[in-house]
Amino acid sequence: MWHGEENPGSATITVSAIEVPELTQQEQSDRLHLERKVEKAVFEAGKALMELRDRRLYRFTHSTFEEYCKDRFGFQRRHPYRLIEASAVFDNLMKMCPNGTQTETESSDAEIYPNGTQTENEEMCPIGTQILPTSERQVRPITKLEPQQQWEVWQTAVK
């Protein structure tokens, strides 16, 4: 029983509405472009780690790649290798189906269509339809497969 106090169930709450303007076409385009950059960053990190490892650029300060990654980036032992493996899968997917996934820099036709002619690749991947991974975890299960198998499994996954 409420003794002279207001029933909390009947309290009035005032809420102010804030108008959020829709994104312009340019803003939508900019957002997509920036999102793609963020998504690709993890794969760029994998490529950088691979070069650091392969060229042993850590050797002046650390005796092992694992020690270097832990001290420099705070990575646990397995993480840099997962990023390296994921970047290889990402590159394979880009090579198999580059349409709609080109980076800022243009490549020669030989690099863009390494597994067939432009027409063959367009039939496999119509322009703008290629969905690429956005994290290392998404490709972890397919890192040990051959490039063609990686592409087939990825296409099945995105369907």
Side-chain angles (χ1 to χ4, degrees):
M1 174 156 200
W2 297 95
H3 298 284
E5 295 179 17
E6 191 175 317
N7 181 347
S10 65
T12 302
I13 299 173
T14 305
V15 178
S16 301
I18 299 173
E19 187 175 328
V20 179
E22 289 186 30
L23 295 179
T24 64
Q25 283 297 112
Q26 183 60 51
E27 287 174 324
Q28 289 177 21
S29 176
D30 290 348
R31 183 184 75 187
L32 181 61
H33 172 77
L34 294 169
E35 286 172 347
R36 293 253 158 83
K37 282 183 129 176
V38 171
E39 291 167 354
K40 291 169 84 173
V42 69
F43 302 107
E44 291 300 319
K47 290 164 113 173
L49 286 165
M50 185 183 331
E51 188 167 347
L52 287 164
R53 180 197 64 190
D54 293 351
R55 293 178 55 196
R56 298 188 64 238
L57 297 177
Y58 56 85
R59 69 185 181 270
F60 185 71
T61 56
H62 294 81
S63 58
T64 68
F65 179 64
E66 292 84 1
E67 287 175 12
Y68 167 73
C69 288
K70 183 176 183 187
D71 288 348
R72 179 63 178 87
F73 306 110
F75 291 160
Q76 295 303 315
R77 193 181 73 74
R78 185 72 191 116
H79 189 64
Y81 295 104
R82 287 182 176 148
L83 291 173
I84 291 168
E85 291 167 350
S87 70
V89 172
F90 187 85
D91 283 347
N92 289 337
L93 295 174
M94 286 284 290
K95 288 175 185 173
M96 297 294 243
C97 190
N99 295 327
T101 62
Q102 284 302 297
T103 57
E104 316 308 318
T105 58
E106 291 301 317
S107 304
S108 71
D109 284 349
E111 291 173 333
I112 294 174
Y113 304 107
N115 299 316
T117 66
Q118 180 173 353
T119 305
E120 289 171 350
N121 279 285
E122 284 175 356
E123 288 171 9
M124 283 190 341
C125 305
I127 292 176
T129 63
Q130 175 65 343
I131 297 172
L132 292 173
T134 57
S135 74
E136 171 272 327
R137 186 174 288 273
Q138 290 174 333
V139 296
R140 191 181 301 172
I142 63 174
T143 57
K144 303 299 182 210
L145 300 175
E146 293 299 317
Q148 180 65 35
Q149 293 173 311
Q150 290 173 347
W151 185 82
E152 291 168 1
V153 169
W154 181 252
Q155 294 310 308
T156 301
V158 296
K159 283 182 182 174

